[in-house]
Amino acid sequence: MTDTPETADQTSPAPAAAGDVPPDRLAISPRSPHFDGDLLARGIGIRFKGVEKNNVEEYSISEGWIRVQAGKTMDRKGQPLTLKLSGPVEAWYKDLGDDAPVAKAD
């Protein structure tokens, strides 16, 4: 029985540290399996190839890509068409301020 609380104590620092950086992949579309409204409500900053972007629809840090809307073009279902751009991606929570931990590919 003492092993269970120690295991819980050992795992509690990891989620706290992981809670300070955004997930590896996130999308703003509620239809996506990578959508998380609670995380999006915190505000996420995205830096792509060293430039901060405000028009990112979806990103993947480990795979190194972002999706951005292709102008005002819509598909036949009324969803915006997106372009997949490859390059280094960094993400952070805006609510943590300027010294927020940044998630980036290793």
Side-chain angles (χ1 to χ4, degrees), residues 6 11 16 18-19 22 26-28 30 32 34-35 38 44 50 60 63-64 66 68 77 79 81 89 94-95:
E6 289 174 12
T11 57
L26 191 63
I28 63 169
S32 172
H34 303 288
F35 173 78
D38 296 334
I44 295 181
S60 176
E63 295 176 14
I66 62 171
V68 294
K77 296 180 182 177
Q79 301 299 317
L81 289 179
V89 180
K94 290 184 175 181
D95 66 349

Short mmCIF file of all heavy atoms in Angstrom, two decimals, residues 6 11 16 18-19 22 26-28 30 32 34-35 38 44 50 60 63-64 66 68 77 79 81 89 94-95:
data_model
loop_
_atom_site.label_atom_id
_atom_site.label_comp_id
_atom_site.label_asym_id
_atom_site.label_seq_id
_atom_site.Cartn_x
_atom_site.Cartn_y
_atom_site.Cartn_z
N GLU A 6 3.61 6.57 -3.07
CA GLU A 6 4.91 7.03 -3.56
C GLU A 6 4.89 7.18 -5.07
O GLU A 6 5.42 8.13 -5.61
CB GLU A 6 6.01 6.06 -3.13
CG GLU A 6 6.30 6.09 -1.64
CD GLU A 6 7.29 5.01 -1.24
OE1 GLU A 6 7.90 4.41 -2.14
OE2 GLU A 6 7.43 4.78 -0.04
N THR A 11 4.73 10.81 -9.78
CA THR A 11 4.15 11.22 -11.05
C THR A 11 3.56 12.63 -10.99
O THR A 11 3.36 13.24 -12.01
CB THR A 11 3.05 10.24 -11.51
OG1 THR A 11 2.07 10.17 -10.48
CG2 THR A 11 3.63 8.87 -11.80
N ALA A 16 2.67 18.47 -13.71
CA ALA A 16 2.74 19.91 -13.45
C ALA A 16 3.69 20.57 -14.44
O ALA A 16 3.42 21.63 -14.98
CB ALA A 16 3.19 20.16 -12.02
N ALA A 18 4.50 19.29 -17.38
CA ALA A 18 3.90 19.13 -18.70
C ALA A 18 2.74 20.10 -18.89
O ALA A 18 2.40 20.45 -20.00
CB ALA A 18 3.42 17.70 -18.89
N GLY A 19 2.12 20.57 -17.81
CA GLY A 19 1.01 21.50 -17.90
C GLY A 19 1.44 22.90 -18.29
O GLY A 19 0.62 23.72 -18.66
N PRO A 22 2.41 23.62 -24.12
CA PRO A 22 1.28 23.11 -24.92
C PRO A 22 1.55 21.70 -25.42
O PRO A 22 2.69 21.24 -25.46
CB PRO A 22 1.21 24.09 -26.09
CG PRO A 22 1.94 25.30 -25.64
CD PRO A 22 2.98 24.82 -24.69
N LEU A 26 -2.17 20.31 -31.78
CA LEU A 26 -3.41 20.95 -31.38
C LEU A 26 -4.07 21.58 -32.60
O LEU A 26 -3.39 22.07 -33.50
CB LEU A 26 -3.11 22.03 -30.33
CG LEU A 26 -4.29 22.65 -29.61
CD1 LEU A 26 -5.04 21.60 -28.79
CD2 LEU A 26 -3.79 23.74 -28.68
N ALA A 27 -5.41 21.55 -32.62
CA ALA A 27 -6.18 22.12 -33.73
C ALA A 27 -7.27 23.02 -33.17
O ALA A 27 -7.76 22.80 -32.06
CB ALA A 27 -6.80 21.02 -34.57
N ILE A 28 -7.68 24.03 -33.93
CA ILE A 28 -8.73 24.93 -33.47
C ILE A 28 -10.11 24.48 -33.94
O ILE A 28 -11.11 24.99 -33.46
CB ILE A 28 -8.49 26.39 -33.91
CG1 ILE A 28 -8.51 26.53 -35.42
CG2 ILE A 28 -7.19 26.91 -33.35
CD1 ILE A 28 -8.53 27.98 -35.89
N PRO A 30 -13.30 22.24 -33.91
CA PRO A 30 -13.93 21.28 -33.00
C PRO A 30 -14.15 19.90 -33.63
O PRO A 30 -14.33 18.93 -32.92
CB PRO A 30 -15.28 21.92 -32.68
CG PRO A 30 -15.14 23.35 -33.04
CD PRO A 30 -14.11 23.42 -34.12
N SER A 32 -11.89 18.23 -35.20
CA SER A 32 -10.62 17.52 -35.18
C SER A 32 -10.45 16.71 -33.89
O SER A 32 -10.87 17.15 -32.82
CB SER A 32 -9.46 18.53 -35.28
OG SER A 32 -8.23 17.87 -35.06
N HIS A 34 -7.77 16.43 -32.41
CA HIS A 34 -6.73 17.13 -31.67
C HIS A 34 -7.21 18.46 -31.09
O HIS A 34 -6.41 19.28 -30.65
CB HIS A 34 -5.52 17.38 -32.58
CG HIS A 34 -4.98 16.12 -33.16
ND1 HIS A 34 -4.30 15.19 -32.43
CD2 HIS A 34 -5.07 15.60 -34.41
CE1 HIS A 34 -3.96 14.17 -33.18
NE2 HIS A 34 -4.43 14.40 -34.40
N PHE A 35 -8.52 18.66 -31.07
CA PHE A 35 -9.11 19.88 -30.52
C PHE A 35 -9.21 19.78 -29.00
O PHE A 35 -9.56 18.73 -28.46
CB PHE A 35 -10.52 20.07 -31.11
CG PHE A 35 -11.28 21.21 -30.49
CD1 PHE A 35 -11.02 22.51 -30.85
CD2 PHE A 35 -12.25 20.97 -29.54
CE1 PHE A 35 -11.73 23.57 -30.29
CE2 PHE A 35 -12.97 22.00 -28.97
CZ PHE A 35 -12.70 23.30 -29.35
N ASP A 38 -10.29 23.85 -23.73
CA ASP A 38 -9.71 24.40 -22.49
C ASP A 38 -8.30 24.93 -22.73
O ASP A 38 -7.93 25.99 -22.21
CB ASP A 38 -9.69 23.34 -21.39
CG ASP A 38 -11.09 22.91 -20.99
OD1 ASP A 38 -12.03 23.72 -21.16
OD2 ASP A 38 -11.24 21.78 -20.51
N ILE A 44 -2.55 30.31 -27.04
CA ILE A 44 -1.31 29.65 -27.42
C ILE A 44 -0.60 30.48 -28.46
O ILE A 44 -1.20 30.90 -29.45
CB ILE A 44 -1.59 28.23 -27.96
CG1 ILE A 44 -2.17 27.39 -26.84
CG2 ILE A 44 -0.33 27.60 -28.52
CD1 ILE A 44 -2.48 25.98 -27.19
N GLY A 50 10.88 30.93 -36.83
CA GLY A 50 11.35 32.13 -36.16
C GLY A 50 10.39 33.32 -36.20
O GLY A 50 10.70 34.37 -35.67
N SER A 60 1.82 20.74 -35.44
CA SER A 60 2.46 19.56 -34.87
C SER A 60 3.93 19.89 -34.67
O SER A 60 4.65 20.15 -35.64
CB SER A 60 2.31 18.35 -35.78
OG SER A 60 3.03 17.25 -35.23
N GLU A 63 6.36 16.71 -35.72
CA GLU A 63 6.40 16.49 -37.17
C GLU A 63 6.88 17.73 -37.92
O GLU A 63 7.18 17.65 -39.10
CB GLU A 63 5.04 16.04 -37.67
CG GLU A 63 4.62 14.69 -37.10
CD GLU A 63 3.22 14.28 -37.52
OE1 GLU A 63 2.66 14.88 -38.46
OE2 GLU A 63 2.68 13.35 -36.89
N GLY A 64 6.90 18.89 -37.26
CA GLY A 64 7.42 20.11 -37.86
C GLY A 64 6.56 20.70 -38.95
O GLY A 64 7.04 20.98 -40.04
N ILE A 66 2.73 23.30 -39.74
CA ILE A 66 1.53 24.03 -39.32
C ILE A 66 0.56 24.03 -40.49
O ILE A 66 0.95 23.82 -41.63
CB ILE A 66 1.84 25.49 -38.90
CG1 ILE A 66 2.42 26.29 -40.06
CG2 ILE A 66 2.75 25.52 -37.70
CD1 ILE A 66 2.54 27.78 -39.79
N VAL A 68 -2.29 26.57 -42.20
CA VAL A 68 -2.83 27.93 -42.23
C VAL A 68 -3.91 27.99 -43.31
O VAL A 68 -3.89 27.24 -44.28
CB VAL A 68 -1.74 28.99 -42.50
CG1 VAL A 68 -0.76 29.06 -41.37
CG2 VAL A 68 -1.02 28.72 -43.80
N LYS A 77 -18.03 21.88 -48.14
CA LYS A 77 -18.75 21.76 -46.86
C LYS A 77 -18.71 23.06 -46.06
O LYS A 77 -19.17 23.11 -44.94
CB LYS A 77 -18.15 20.63 -46.03
CG LYS A 77 -18.32 19.27 -46.68
CD LYS A 77 -17.72 18.19 -45.85
CE LYS A 77 -17.86 16.85 -46.54
NZ LYS A 77 -17.22 15.77 -45.79
N GLN A 79 -15.95 24.59 -45.01
CA GLN A 79 -14.76 24.68 -44.16
C GLN A 79 -13.63 25.35 -44.93
O GLN A 79 -13.50 25.18 -46.14
CB GLN A 79 -14.31 23.28 -43.71
CG GLN A 79 -15.37 22.52 -42.94
CD GLN A 79 -15.75 23.23 -41.67
OE1 GLN A 79 -14.89 23.73 -40.95
NE2 GLN A 79 -17.04 23.30 -41.39
N LEU A 81 -10.16 26.05 -46.69
CA LEU A 81 -9.08 25.25 -47.22
C LEU A 81 -7.79 25.67 -46.52
O LEU A 81 -7.57 26.85 -46.25
CB LEU A 81 -8.93 25.45 -48.72
CG LEU A 81 -10.02 24.85 -49.59
CD1 LEU A 81 -9.75 25.16 -51.05
CD2 LEU A 81 -10.11 23.35 -49.39
N VAL A 89 8.67 24.38 -35.49
CA VAL A 89 7.51 24.95 -34.81
C VAL A 89 7.80 25.04 -33.32
O VAL A 89 8.33 24.10 -32.74
CB VAL A 89 6.25 24.07 -35.04
CG1 VAL A 89 5.05 24.67 -34.34
CG2 VAL A 89 5.98 23.89 -36.52
N LYS A 94 0.31 31.81 -23.82
CA LYS A 94 0.43 33.27 -23.71
C LYS A 94 0.09 33.76 -22.31
O LYS A 94 0.59 34.80 -21.89
CB LYS A 94 -0.48 33.95 -24.73
CG LYS A 94 0.00 33.78 -26.15
CD LYS A 94 -0.88 34.54 -27.11
CE LYS A 94 -0.34 34.46 -28.51
NZ LYS A 94 -1.17 35.21 -29.46
N ASP A 95 -0.74 33.02 -21.56
CA ASP A 95 -1.14 33.49 -20.23
C ASP A 95 -0.01 33.37 -19.20
O ASP A 95 -0.12 33.90 -18.11
CB ASP A 95 -2.38 32.75 -19.75
CG ASP A 95 -2.15 31.27 -19.52
OD1 ASP A 95 -1.09 30.74 -19.93
OD2 ASP A 95 -3.04 30.62 -18.93
#
